[in-house]
Amino acid sequence: MKYRLVSYLSLGHLMADMTQGAIPVMLPFLIAEHHLSYAAAAGIVFASTVVSSLVQPVLGYFADRFSKPWFIPIGALVAGLGVALVGIVPSYHLILAVVVLSGLGLAAYHPEAARTANFVAAENKATAMSLFGIGGQAGFAIGPVFTTALLLWLGLKGTLVLALPAILIGIFLTFQVPRFSVYMKTSTKKTGTTQPAEQDEWVPFLRLSGVVFCRSIIFYTLNTFIPLYWINVLHQSNAAAGTALTILFAAGVVGNFIGGRLADTFGLRTVIRGAFAGLIIILPLFVWTQNVLVATLLLVVVGLIHFMTYSPLVVMGQMFLPNHVGLASGVTFGLAVTIGGVAAPFLGMIADQHGIGAALWCVAFLPVLATGLALTLPHPRKETLAPR
């Protein structure tokens, strides 16, 4: 496995997903500044998520045929610049516009970067994807605390500071494009047309997408409503709300790495099934408690278990579609995630009518469905386990 190349991809993933981690902690400030309802605030998450998710499979499909490594630096740059503009535009519609711009950057980055990570991973695909994912989870963890500090210090105009890391990382990745290109050409020669084509397994892939649907709804519900839940239900400060989201994603970084290592050793299905079975118990307990200390401890456990499924789900999707790795990445990173973005405004309406706790209860039992679907998944033909 080319650890250095994976680390560069992970760095870009950090920048791209830092923008997604930043958006939820902006919501309380945007609600106060623009007098938005919960549903309108959730619509901001919806705009970023749906545009990004719908475009990703299309770009992934073309990446399988015409590799575009320059999507990697451009995607990270545009994702950051779009979010940097959120705090300075004067209207709700312009907020949606720049968030959509950021979503397009995410759509460009994820399929090409994930496809590249798959090729440089050799046999340790789950571990490589977990390292790639750690960048994303680190971005989600850094995004809330960094953005909260900027907003408390400079107000909404502080979002402009987010443009600086986007520009620096974009420039750095631009200089790495030739290395990505050379390695992708080498990988193509090694797996060229002289070898018999492997058969895609579309039916298992569709069932896997159902599992990702469930994970996505849980993820975006937590990502959208935890800051608001901390403020309005647990009666904590804006700073504490941003910290809670950071705790979730910091735990997710650890869980992501553990999940990748366990998947390479014990199998992708084992990790996916075990993690969702654990959430059947933990997630309802988290929603039920009203004690901020207990909620924080349970949030750590939720983050660990939930993000253990990240790399196994992505790698299993790529293994089910060996002839369409970019498309599989676009679906597991993108189209499946649309469901989470689509659910956010509806859950926002429930929160407006019945409280934020009611919105969280709506997804507390989704791990039951996810576990049921995971039990139907076959063993991927290409999966090889690392020595124990």
mmCIF file of all heavy atoms in Angstrom, residues 83-120:
data_model
loop_
_atom_site.group_PDB
_atom_site.id
_atom_site.type_symbol
_atom_site.label_atom_id
_atom_site.label_comp_id
_atom_site.label_asym_id
_atom_site.label_seq_id
_atom_site.Cartn_x
_atom_site.Cartn_y
_atom_site.Cartn_z
ATOM 1 N N VAL A 83 -18.247 27.115 1.315
ATOM 2 C CA VAL A 83 -18.645 27.274 2.710
ATOM 3 C C VAL A 83 -18.097 28.576 3.289
ATOM 4 O O VAL A 83 -18.743 29.213 4.143
ATOM 5 C CB VAL A 83 -18.186 26.056 3.538
ATOM 6 C CG1 VAL A 83 -18.322 26.318 5.027
ATOM 7 C CG2 VAL A 83 -19.013 24.837 3.164
ATOM 8 N N ALA A 84 -16.925 29.003 2.826
ATOM 9 C CA ALA A 84 -16.342 30.248 3.328
ATOM 10 C C ALA A 84 -17.237 31.453 3.039
ATOM 11 O O ALA A 84 -17.210 32.456 3.761
ATOM 12 C CB ALA A 84 -14.962 30.463 2.699
ATOM 13 N N LEU A 85 -18.057 31.357 2.005
ATOM 14 C CA LEU A 85 -18.927 32.465 1.618
ATOM 15 C C LEU A 85 -20.266 32.484 2.367
ATOM 16 O O LEU A 85 -21.002 33.468 2.269
ATOM 17 C CB LEU A 85 -19.198 32.407 0.109
ATOM 18 C CG LEU A 85 -17.981 32.611 -0.810
ATOM 19 C CD1 LEU A 85 -18.369 32.353 -2.263
ATOM 20 C CD2 LEU A 85 -17.414 34.009 -0.641
ATOM 21 N N VAL A 86 -20.588 31.409 3.086
ATOM 22 C CA VAL A 86 -21.897 31.303 3.732
ATOM 23 C C VAL A 86 -22.163 32.474 4.676
ATOM 24 O O VAL A 86 -23.272 33.024 4.718
ATOM 25 C CB VAL A 86 -22.021 29.966 4.495
ATOM 26 C CG1 VAL A 86 -23.254 29.969 5.403
ATOM 27 C CG2 VAL A 86 -22.094 28.804 3.514
ATOM 28 N N GLY A 87 -21.160 32.871 5.434
ATOM 29 C CA GLY A 87 -21.366 33.887 6.462
ATOM 30 C C GLY A 87 -21.482 35.303 5.952
ATOM 31 O O GLY A 87 -21.895 36.200 6.703
ATOM 32 N N ILE A 88 -21.126 35.558 4.683
ATOM 33 C CA ILE A 88 -21.112 36.942 4.199
ATOM 34 C C ILE A 88 -22.209 37.242 3.188
ATOM 35 O O ILE A 88 -22.453 38.403 2.873
ATOM 36 C CB ILE A 88 -19.743 37.306 3.585
ATOM 37 C CG1 ILE A 88 -19.460 36.459 2.348
ATOM 38 C CG2 ILE A 88 -18.639 37.150 4.613
ATOM 39 C CD1 ILE A 88 -18.251 36.942 1.552
ATOM 40 N N VAL A 89 -22.855 36.221 2.644
ATOM 41 C CA VAL A 89 -23.933 36.493 1.684
ATOM 42 C C VAL A 89 -25.160 36.990 2.447
ATOM 43 O O VAL A 89 -25.418 36.577 3.575
ATOM 44 C CB VAL A 89 -24.267 35.243 0.842
ATOM 45 C CG1 VAL A 89 -23.083 34.877 -0.043
ATOM 46 C CG2 VAL A 89 -24.649 34.060 1.718
ATOM 47 N N PRO A 90 -25.974 37.876 1.828
ATOM 48 C CA PRO A 90 -26.995 38.587 2.590
ATOM 49 C C PRO A 90 -28.356 37.920 2.694
ATOM 50 O O PRO A 90 -29.217 38.405 3.434
ATOM 51 C CB PRO A 90 -27.127 39.911 1.809
ATOM 52 C CG PRO A 90 -26.791 39.540 0.400
ATOM 53 C CD PRO A 90 -25.749 38.474 0.494
ATOM 54 N N SER A 91 -28.597 36.829 1.971
ATOM 55 C CA SER A 91 -29.946 36.255 1.974
ATOM 56 C C SER A 91 -29.906 34.739 2.062
ATOM 57 O O SER A 91 -28.881 34.108 1.784
ATOM 58 C CB SER A 91 -30.704 36.671 0.707
ATOM 59 O OG SER A 91 -30.154 36.030 -0.429
ATOM 60 N N TYR A 92 -31.060 34.179 2.409
ATOM 61 C CA TYR A 92 -31.184 32.723 2.528
ATOM 62 C C TYR A 92 -30.926 32.045 1.187
ATOM 63 O O TYR A 92 -30.253 31.010 1.126
ATOM 64 C CB TYR A 92 -32.578 32.368 3.046
ATOM 65 C CG TYR A 92 -32.826 30.876 3.175
ATOM 66 C CD1 TYR A 92 -32.171 30.113 4.134
ATOM 67 C CD2 TYR A 92 -33.736 30.233 2.325
ATOM 68 C CE1 TYR A 92 -32.402 28.753 4.260
ATOM 69 C CE2 TYR A 92 -33.977 28.877 2.445
ATOM 70 C CZ TYR A 92 -33.303 28.131 3.405
ATOM 71 O OH TYR A 92 -33.535 26.790 3.531
ATOM 72 N N HIS A 93 -31.444 32.616 0.092
ATOM 73 C CA HIS A 93 -31.272 31.996 -1.214
ATOM 74 C C HIS A 93 -29.809 31.996 -1.652
ATOM 75 O O HIS A 93 -29.340 31.042 -2.289
ATOM 76 C CB HIS A 93 -32.145 32.712 -2.250
ATOM 77 C CG HIS A 93 -33.606 32.481 -2.052
ATOM 78 N ND1 HIS A 93 -34.399 33.357 -1.359
ATOM 79 C CD2 HIS A 93 -34.413 31.448 -2.414
ATOM 80 C CE1 HIS A 93 -35.631 32.902 -1.325
ATOM 81 N NE2 HIS A 93 -35.670 31.739 -1.960
ATOM 82 N N LEU A 94 -29.078 33.040 -1.308
ATOM 83 C CA LEU A 94 -27.651 33.062 -1.637
ATOM 84 C C LEU A 94 -26.866 32.094 -0.757
ATOM 85 O O LEU A 94 -25.862 31.516 -1.198
ATOM 86 C CB LEU A 94 -27.098 34.476 -1.503
ATOM 87 C CG LEU A 94 -27.518 35.457 -2.608
ATOM 88 C CD1 LEU A 94 -26.994 36.852 -2.319
ATOM 89 C CD2 LEU A 94 -27.024 34.968 -3.970
ATOM 90 N N ILE A 95 -27.321 31.900 0.489
ATOM 91 C CA ILE A 95 -26.704 30.870 1.335
ATOM 92 C C ILE A 95 -26.845 29.513 0.666
ATOM 93 O O ILE A 95 -25.879 28.736 0.574
ATOM 94 C CB ILE A 95 -27.350 30.853 2.736
ATOM 95 C CG1 ILE A 95 -26.996 32.125 3.502
ATOM 96 C CG2 ILE A 95 -26.896 29.614 3.519
ATOM 97 C CD1 ILE A 95 -27.730 32.271 4.815
ATOM 98 N N LEU A 96 -28.049 29.221 0.173
ATOM 99 C CA LEU A 96 -28.269 27.947 -0.517
ATOM 100 C C LEU A 96 -27.367 27.838 -1.745
ATOM 101 O O LEU A 96 -26.821 26.765 -2.028
ATOM 102 C CB LEU A 96 -29.731 27.818 -0.932
ATOM 103 C CG LEU A 96 -30.762 27.706 0.194
ATOM 104 C CD1 LEU A 96 -32.169 27.595 -0.387
ATOM 105 C CD2 LEU A 96 -30.469 26.503 1.090
ATOM 106 N N ALA A 97 -27.182 28.955 -2.467
ATOM 107 C CA ALA A 97 -26.372 28.929 -3.686
ATOM 108 C C ALA A 97 -24.913 28.582 -3.393
ATOM 109 O O ALA A 97 -24.309 27.743 -4.079
ATOM 110 C CB ALA A 97 -26.471 30.277 -4.409
ATOM 111 N N VAL A 98 -24.324 29.223 -2.384
ATOM 112 C CA VAL A 98 -22.906 28.956 -2.110
ATOM 113 C C VAL A 98 -22.728 27.583 -1.465
ATOM 114 O O VAL A 98 -21.682 26.933 -1.652
ATOM 115 C CB VAL A 98 -22.278 30.061 -1.228
ATOM 116 C CG1 VAL A 98 -22.269 31.388 -1.982
ATOM 117 C CG2 VAL A 98 -22.987 30.210 0.113
ATOM 118 N N VAL A 99 -23.738 27.113 -0.740
ATOM 119 C CA VAL A 99 -23.676 25.765 -0.179
ATOM 120 C C VAL A 99 -23.748 24.731 -1.301
ATOM 121 O O VAL A 99 -23.064 23.698 -1.260
ATOM 122 C CB VAL A 99 -24.813 25.565 0.849
ATOM 123 C CG1 VAL A 99 -25.019 24.095 1.152
ATOM 124 C CG2 VAL A 99 -24.492 26.308 2.136
ATOM 125 N N VAL A 100 -24.555 25.010 -2.330
ATOM 126 C CA VAL A 100 -24.605 24.136 -3.503
ATOM 127 C C VAL A 100 -23.240 24.114 -4.198
ATOM 128 O O VAL A 100 -22.760 23.056 -4.632
ATOM 129 C CB VAL A 100 -25.699 24.606 -4.478
ATOM 130 C CG1 VAL A 100 -25.537 23.950 -5.854
ATOM 131 C CG2 VAL A 100 -27.076 24.267 -3.914
ATOM 132 N N LEU A 101 -22.592 25.279 -4.319
ATOM 133 C CA LEU A 101 -21.248 25.341 -4.898
ATOM 134 C C LEU A 101 -20.287 24.441 -4.127
ATOM 135 O O LEU A 101 -19.504 23.676 -4.724
ATOM 136 C CB LEU A 101 -20.743 26.780 -4.883
ATOM 137 C CG LEU A 101 -19.314 27.005 -5.402
ATOM 138 C CD1 LEU A 101 -19.225 26.689 -6.887
ATOM 139 C CD2 LEU A 101 -18.872 28.446 -5.134
ATOM 140 N N SER A 102 -20.348 24.509 -2.803
ATOM 141 C CA SER A 102 -19.510 23.643 -1.977
ATOM 142 C C SER A 102 -19.829 22.176 -2.231
ATOM 143 O O SER A 102 -18.929 21.332 -2.318
ATOM 144 C CB SER A 102 -19.709 23.979 -0.499
ATOM 145 O OG SER A 102 -18.968 23.101 0.324
ATOM 146 N N GLY A 103 -21.118 21.869 -2.368
ATOM 147 C CA GLY A 103 -21.526 20.494 -2.644
ATOM 148 C C GLY A 103 -20.981 19.965 -3.954
ATOM 149 O O GLY A 103 -20.629 18.785 -4.063
ATOM 150 N N LEU A 104 -20.891 20.833 -4.960
ATOM 151 C CA LEU A 104 -20.310 20.420 -6.238
ATOM 152 C C LEU A 104 -18.826 20.080 -6.076
ATOM 153 O O LEU A 104 -18.318 19.161 -6.722
ATOM 154 C CB LEU A 104 -20.500 21.522 -7.276
ATOM 155 C CG LEU A 104 -21.943 21.764 -7.750
ATOM 156 C CD1 LEU A 104 -22.012 22.981 -8.655
ATOM 157 C CD2 LEU A 104 -22.489 20.531 -8.464
ATOM 158 N N GLY A 105 -18.135 20.848 -5.230
ATOM 159 C CA GLY A 105 -16.739 20.528 -4.947
ATOM 160 C C GLY A 105 -16.594 19.165 -4.296
ATOM 161 O O GLY A 105 -15.720 18.369 -4.653
ATOM 162 N N LEU A 106 -17.474 18.869 -3.341
ATOM 163 C CA LEU A 106 -17.464 17.554 -2.696
ATOM 164 C C LEU A 106 -17.727 16.454 -3.713
ATOM 165 O O LEU A 106 -17.100 15.384 -3.674
ATOM 166 C CB LEU A 106 -18.534 17.505 -1.606
ATOM 167 C CG LEU A 106 -18.298 18.386 -0.374
ATOM 168 C CD1 LEU A 106 -19.549 18.407 0.501
ATOM 169 C CD2 LEU A 106 -17.114 17.884 0.430
ATOM 170 N N ALA A 107 -18.667 16.709 -4.632
ATOM 171 C CA ALA A 107 -19.015 15.719 -5.645
ATOM 172 C C ALA A 107 -17.834 15.422 -6.562
ATOM 173 O O ALA A 107 -17.647 14.292 -7.017
ATOM 174 C CB ALA A 107 -20.205 16.203 -6.466
ATOM 175 N N ALA A 108 -17.027 16.443 -6.858
ATOM 176 C CA ALA A 108 -15.857 16.239 -7.708
ATOM 177 C C ALA A 108 -14.764 15.467 -6.973
ATOM 178 O O ALA A 108 -14.072 14.625 -7.559
ATOM 179 C CB ALA A 108 -15.316 17.583 -8.190
ATOM 180 N N TYR A 109 -14.609 15.729 -5.674
ATOM 181 C CA TYR A 109 -13.501 15.153 -4.924
ATOM 182 C C TYR A 109 -13.694 13.665 -4.612
ATOM 183 O O TYR A 109 -12.807 12.834 -4.860
ATOM 184 C CB TYR A 109 -13.279 15.916 -3.610
ATOM 185 C CG TYR A 109 -12.086 15.376 -2.852
ATOM 186 C CD1 TYR A 109 -10.805 15.776 -3.185
ATOM 187 C CD2 TYR A 109 -12.245 14.408 -1.853
ATOM 188 C CE1 TYR A 109 -9.708 15.242 -2.541
ATOM 189 C CE2 TYR A 109 -11.152 13.876 -1.207
ATOM 190 C CZ TYR A 109 -9.882 14.288 -1.547
ATOM 191 O OH TYR A 109 -8.801 13.751 -0.918
ATOM 192 N N HIS A 110 -14.831 13.311 -4.030
ATOM 193 C CA HIS A 110 -14.975 11.989 -3.418
ATOM 194 C C HIS A 110 -14.802 10.795 -4.365
ATOM 195 O O HIS A 110 -14.019 9.892 -4.055
ATOM 196 C CB HIS A 110 -16.329 11.898 -2.696
ATOM 197 C CG HIS A 110 -16.337 12.561 -1.366
ATOM 198 N ND1 HIS A 110 -17.188 13.594 -1.051
ATOM 199 C CD2 HIS A 110 -15.597 12.353 -0.259
ATOM 200 C CE1 HIS A 110 -16.976 13.995 0.185
ATOM 201 N NE2 HIS A 110 -16.002 13.252 0.687
ATOM 202 N N PRO A 111 -15.502 10.728 -5.512
ATOM 203 C CA PRO A 111 -15.349 9.512 -6.337
ATOM 204 C C PRO A 111 -13.932 9.309 -6.854
ATOM 205 O O PRO A 111 -13.401 8.195 -6.811
ATOM 206 C CB PRO A 111 -16.343 9.746 -7.485
ATOM 207 C CG PRO A 111 -17.288 10.777 -6.993
ATOM 208 C CD PRO A 111 -16.494 11.652 -6.077
ATOM 209 N N GLU A 112 -13.308 10.381 -7.373
ATOM 210 C CA GLU A 112 -11.963 10.243 -7.922
ATOM 211 C C GLU A 112 -10.949 9.904 -6.835
ATOM 212 O O GLU A 112 -10.064 9.064 -7.022
ATOM 213 C CB GLU A 112 -11.558 11.540 -8.634
ATOM 214 C CG GLU A 112 -10.235 11.446 -9.374
ATOM 215 C CD GLU A 112 -10.265 10.467 -10.541
ATOM 216 O OE1 GLU A 112 -11.305 10.389 -11.229
ATOM 217 O OE2 GLU A 112 -9.247 9.780 -10.756
ATOM 218 N N ALA A 113 -11.073 10.549 -5.664
ATOM 219 C CA ALA A 113 -10.140 10.269 -4.577
ATOM 220 C C ALA A 113 -10.324 8.856 -4.044
ATOM 221 O O ALA A 113 -9.346 8.150 -3.767
ATOM 222 C CB ALA A 113 -10.322 11.290 -3.457
ATOM 223 N N ALA A 114 -11.575 8.421 -3.870
ATOM 224 C CA ALA A 114 -11.835 7.067 -3.369
ATOM 225 C C ALA A 114 -11.375 6.014 -4.365
ATOM 226 O O ALA A 114 -10.846 4.960 -3.994
ATOM 227 C CB ALA A 114 -13.324 6.894 -3.068
ATOM 228 N N ARG A 115 -11.571 6.282 -5.647
ATOM 229 C CA ARG A 115 -11.111 5.358 -6.691
ATOM 230 C C ARG A 115 -9.591 5.248 -6.669
ATOM 231 O O ARG A 115 -9.032 4.148 -6.781
ATOM 232 C CB ARG A 115 -11.600 5.873 -8.047
ATOM 233 C CG ARG A 115 -11.195 5.036 -9.245
ATOM 234 C CD ARG A 115 -11.877 5.574 -10.503
ATOM 235 N NE ARG A 115 -11.406 4.866 -11.689
ATOM 236 C CZ ARG A 115 -10.362 5.222 -12.401
ATOM 237 N NH1 ARG A 115 -9.655 6.291 -12.047
ATOM 238 N NH2 ARG A 115 -10.011 4.529 -13.462
ATOM 239 N N THR A 116 -8.912 6.380 -6.522
ATOM 240 C CA THR A 116 -7.458 6.374 -6.446
ATOM 241 C C THR A 116 -6.978 5.612 -5.216
ATOM 242 O O THR A 116 -6.026 4.821 -5.282
ATOM 243 C CB THR A 116 -6.922 7.816 -6.418
ATOM 244 O OG1 THR A 116 -7.397 8.524 -7.565
ATOM 245 C CG2 THR A 116 -5.397 7.836 -6.424
ATOM 246 N N ALA A 117 -7.649 5.844 -4.066
ATOM 247 C CA ALA A 117 -7.281 5.140 -2.834
ATOM 248 C C ALA A 117 -7.437 3.634 -2.991
ATOM 249 O O ALA A 117 -6.627 2.851 -2.489
ATOM 250 C CB ALA A 117 -8.125 5.647 -1.666
ATOM 251 N N ASN A 118 -8.470 3.207 -3.707
ATOM 252 C CA ASN A 118 -8.687 1.778 -3.936
ATOM 253 C C ASN A 118 -7.530 1.169 -4.702
ATOM 254 O O ASN A 118 -7.055 0.070 -4.383
ATOM 255 C CB ASN A 118 -10.005 1.579 -4.687
ATOM 256 C CG ASN A 118 -10.271 0.116 -5.024
ATOM 257 O OD1 ASN A 118 -9.784 -0.402 -6.031
ATOM 258 N ND2 ASN A 118 -11.041 -0.545 -4.190
ATOM 259 N N PHE A 119 -7.021 1.858 -5.707
ATOM 260 C CA PHE A 119 -5.938 1.322 -6.533
ATOM 261 C C PHE A 119 -4.602 1.298 -5.795
ATOM 262 O O PHE A 119 -3.789 0.402 -6.018
ATOM 263 C CB PHE A 119 -5.812 2.113 -7.831
ATOM 264 C CG PHE A 119 -6.810 1.710 -8.881
ATOM 265 C CD1 PHE A 119 -7.870 2.545 -9.186
ATOM 266 C CD2 PHE A 119 -6.701 0.510 -9.549
ATOM 267 C CE1 PHE A 119 -8.794 2.178 -10.156
ATOM 268 C CE2 PHE A 119 -7.623 0.125 -10.510
ATOM 269 C CZ PHE A 119 -8.677 0.972 -10.818
ATOM 270 N N VAL A 120 -4.354 2.279 -4.930
ATOM 271 C CA VAL A 120 -3.061 2.301 -4.244
ATOM 272 C C VAL A 120 -3.059 1.416 -2.997
ATOM 273 O O VAL A 120 -2.022 1.253 -2.358
ATOM 274 C CB VAL A 120 -2.656 3.743 -3.849
ATOM 275 C CG1 VAL A 120 -2.619 4.632 -5.070
ATOM 276 C CG2 VAL A 120 -3.572 4.317 -2.782
#
